[in-house]
Amino acid sequence: MNYRHAFHAGNFADLVKHAALLDLLARLQAAPGPLAVFDTHAGRGLYDLTGEEAQRSGEAKAGVAQLMQAADLPPSMQPLRQAVVKLNGGETANLYPGSPLLVAGALRKGDSYLGCELRAPEHSALSDTLASWPAAKTVCADGYVEVAARLPKQGPALVLIDPPFEKSDDYERCAAALGALTAKNPAAVIMVWMPLKDLETFDSFLREAEDAYEGPLLVAEARMRPLTDPMKMNGCALVLANAPEGFEAPLTEICAWTVARLGQSGKAQVWSA
C-alpha cells in the first residue's frame, strides 16, 4: 500500500492521528521536565489541499472539511480544529498541518522535535516548513535507524511511527521498533499509525508487536467500513506502548466521532492487548 502523505492529507485517518497526537502531547507536557519528540516518517509537514495531489484523491473533502463544518465536535478534537483555523486564518481549510508542524507549534521551552524524512524533496520541504521553529530539527535519513540511534536512554520521550506502507517490511519494522525503542528508553511513549485493510494483516502485526514488546499495548481502531476488501483502506489504527493513564477516553471519543460522522457501517473500539 502506498500511503504518501500528500495524496491523503486531511483525510479521516489524519483526523484520528492528529487529534490523538495533540491530546497525547498535552498529557505528556503536563509533567515537569523537557519532552523529546521523534518522528520516523515526517513527510513535508505542510500540505496544500488545493494542490494537484490532494485534489486528485479528494479525501480532504470527506475529512478535514467535515471537521471544520461539524457542530457536534467532541472536546478531544477541538485542538486540531483550532490548529487548522490558526494555520488558515479562518474556517476554510486550504492548508493542512502535518505532524511536524503540529508538534512544533506545541513545543515548550526545553522541548525538542526531530523529524526524519528519507525522500530528499520531501525533506527539503520539511526543512522549509519548520524553519521558524528553532527547537524543531530535521534529518534526511531512515527514520527507524535515526531514531534508534538518537533516542535518549532515559527521560520523557514520544516517538511517532507513521510509514507510508509502500515497503513490504514496514509492518515488521514497526513492530521491531516498538520493542527496541522501549528497551533503550523504558519511559518512551511510542505511537504507531497504520492503515486497516483486512483483519489478518492487522492481527499479524499485533502478534509481532506483542512478541517484540513485553508490556501492554493500547489499541485504537477506527473502522470506517467492514474489513472485507483488503485492496482498500477500510480504516486506521493507533497502537501505543507506554500510553499515559486516561488516554483511552480521548481515543475512544476521537475514533467514535470519526466513524460515526465519516464512516459507512463502521466500528470504533479502543482496547488493551
Side-chain angles (χ1 to χ4, degrees):
M1 180 176 181
N2 186 333
Y3 194 85
R4 293 194 181 184
H5 292 76
F7 289 98
H8 310 281
N11 72 352
F12 77 88
D14 266 358
L15 302 190
V16 171
K17 174 177 59 181
H18 292 144
L21 175 61
L22 289 175
D23 190 281
L24 181 57
L25 274 171
R27 289 171 184 272
L28 296 178
Q29 290 175 326
L35 175 68
V37 183
F38 300 86
D39 201 342
T40 61
H41 298 77
R44 66 182 65 166
L46 178 63
Y47 299 93
D48 180 1
L49 300 184
T50 68
E52 179 184 354
E53 293 162 314
Q55 288 292 309
R56 192 188 309 175
S57 73
E59 293 182 24
K61 294 180 181 179
V64 66
Q66 300 301 312
L67 178 85
M68 307 307 287
Q69 298 169 9
D72 61 342
L73 203 62
S76 57
M77 301 195 74
Q78 291 287 352
L80 177 58
R81 181 174 180 168
Q82 292 165 7
V84 176
V85 168
K86 182 178 180 180
L87 176 63
N88 287 274
E91 300 288 338
T92 301
N94 293 321
L95 299 173
Y96 186 79
S99 300
L101 193 56
L102 290 171
V103 174
L107 294 177
R108 307 163 301 172
K109 184 178 181 180
D111 291 344
S112 62
Y113 169 83
L114 178 68
C116 305
E117 176 51 52
L118 186 58
R119 300 180 185 87
E122 293 288 285
H123 175 257
S124 178
L126 176 65
S127 297
D128 291 341
T129 298
L130 298 181
S132 299
W133 307 95
K137 307 297 184 183
T138 71
V139 60
C140 188
D142 184 319
Y144 294 113
V145 175
E146 200 70 22
V147 174
R150 297 197 186 207
L151 182 71
K153 293 183 179 180
Q154 59 185 3
L158 170 61
V159 180
L160 177 63
I161 303 177
D162 175 23
F165 290 96
E166 61 185 8
K167 297 181 179 179
S168 60
D169 64 348
D170 269 327
Y171 287 99
E172 295 177 5
R173 295 189 78 182
C174 283
L178 273 172
L181 296 175
T182 51
K184 182 175 182 180
N185 183 342
V189 177
I190 316 296
M191 186 168 80
V192 179
W193 175 93
M194 62 183 49
L196 285 178
K197 299 186 294 180
D198 62 280
L199 193 56
E200 175 52 36
T201 300
F202 187 48
D203 283 348
S204 177
F205 167 78
L206 290 176
R207 289 192 294 269
E208 292 184 13
E210 289 172 339
D211 288 342
Y213 173 64
E214 296 182 357
L217 296 169
L218 182 62
V219 182
E221 298 181 56
R223 302 186 185 188
M224 307 303 285
R225 60 185 70 87
L227 307 185
T228 55
D229 186 351
M231 300 306 293
K232 293 182 179 179
M233 192 173 88
N234 297 307
C236 67
L238 297 172
V239 179
L240 293 101
N242 287 331
E245 184 177 355
F247 194 45
E248 296 90 340
L251 281 182
T252 299
E253 192 173 72
I254 290 164
C255 292
W257 183 89
T258 303
V259 170
R261 180 67 182 252
L262 308 177
Q264 301 171 344
S265 302
K267 177 182 179 181
Q269 58 185 9
V270 178
W271 51 284
S272 296

